[in-house]
Amino acid sequence: MFYVYILYNKEIDRYYVGHTYDLIRRLVGHNKGFNRIKYTRKQKGSWKIVYFEEYLERRQAILREK
């Protein structure tokens, strides 16, 4: 299963859209700065999942994220 998700950071009033196969692990990574995404790494600890969708194939999730 793959997920397209939207995160929100209330402190900076910003959204982030991404995709992953492990939603919880990815959220922890965004909040602790353990990811390659510079956009969320700068604001550690404030991201919350506000929306997500499930897909069977990664290809579908990538297309939806775009």
Side-chain angles (χ1 to χ4, degrees):
M1 191 68 61
F2 292 89
Y3 303 90
V4 173
Y5 60 92
I6 300 175
L7 302 180
Y8 178 68
N9 185 320
K10 184 177 180 180
E11 295 172 12
I12 61 171
D13 193 29
R14 295 280 188 249
Y15 290 91
Y16 174 80
V17 178
H19 76 278
T20 185
Y21 65 91
D22 188 338
L23 195 54
I24 300 305
R25 181 175 131 309
R26 182 58 64 94
L27 177 63
V28 169
H30 282 294
N31 281 324
K32 291 189 175 184
F34 299 155
N35 61 55
R36 298 173 287 151
I37 311 301
K38 292 178 186 178
Y39 186 83
T40 61
R41 193 169 45 203
K42 294 176 187 176
Q43 298 89 18
K44 292 185 246 180
S46 302
W47 297 98
K48 308 284 186 222
I49 298 171
V50 294
Y51 182 79
F52 71 92
E53 298 175 352
E54 298 178 341
Y55 293 90
L56 294 176
E57 297 180 15
R58 183 173 186 225
R59 177 176 44 96
Q60 295 170 310
I62 291 170
L63 289 174
R64 176 64 168 152
E65 176 187 3
K66 290 179 181 187

